């Protein structure tokens, strides 16, 4: 089963990053960061995928200073400001058993 956690817009309307929680029935969970492009003829498609195991996600959160009770003071100010994105629906995909 796949659950889209969030969509991160890019500087252009034809690029985005998708953060997806992948929970296969036969293996452990992982997070995928998918770089996607948009084509009028086929819609959104994945250009590349980075698979992250739970320990890697935890290490990334720690490196970004996002652990409980901590601020993101280690990052420059522009990394703490979220730019409002155009509304996008959450997409959930589940393979049938």
């Amino acid at each position: 089963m796949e659950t889209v956690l969030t969509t991160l817009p890019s500087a252009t309307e034809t690029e985005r990053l998708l953060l997806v929680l992948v929970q296969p029935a036969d293996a452990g969970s992982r997070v995928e960061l998918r770089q996607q492009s948009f084509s009028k003829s086929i819609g959104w498609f994945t250009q590349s995928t980075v698979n992250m195991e739970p320990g890697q996600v935890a290490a990334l959160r720690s490196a970004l200073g996002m652990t409980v009770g901590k601020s993101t003071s280690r990052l420059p100010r522009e990394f703490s400001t979220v730019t409002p994105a155009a509304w996008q629906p959450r997409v959930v995909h589940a393979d049938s058993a």
Side-chain angles (χ1 to χ4, degrees), residues 4 9 12 17 26-27 36 49 64 70 72 78:
V4 174
T12 67
L17 291 174
D26 60 343
Q36 295 189 324
T49 300
L64 292 173
K70 286 190 174 181
T72 55
E78 61 266 21

Side-chain angles (χ1 to χ4, degrees), residues 66-78:
M66 298 176 69
T67 57
V68 176
K70 286 190 174 181
S71 68
T72 55
S73 60
R74 294 189 295 177
L75 295 173
R77 181 177 292 204
E78 61 266 21

Side-chain angles (χ1 to χ4, degrees), residues 3-93:
T3 305
V4 174
L5 300 174
T6 192
T7 301
L8 306 170
S10 185
T12 67
E13 292 182 13
T14 59
E15 300 288 327
R16 70 181 183 183
L17 291 174
L18 215 58
L19 188 63
V20 180
L21 174 62
V22 180
Q23 298 172 295
D26 60 343
S29 299
R30 69 181 183 277
V31 170
E32 291 184 357
L33 183 61
R34 299 176 184 169
Q35 187 275 322
Q36 295 189 324
S37 297
F38 184 80
S39 167
K40 289 181 183 180
S41 59
I42 60 173
W44 288 104
F45 61 96
T46 300
Q47 292 276 10
S48 62
T49 300
V50 175
N51 293 309
M52 299 181 72
E53 301 302 323
Q56 292 174 310
V57 173
L60 178 61
R61 288 175 53 108
S62 179
L64 292 173
M66 298 176 69
T67 57
V68 176
K70 286 190 174 181
S71 68
T72 55
S73 60
R74 294 189 295 177
L75 295 173
R77 181 177 292 204
E78 61 266 21
F79 287 94
S80 63
T81 304
V82 176
T83 305
W87 181 86
Q88 293 185 15
R90 288 195 177 270
V91 178
V92 176
H93 171 79

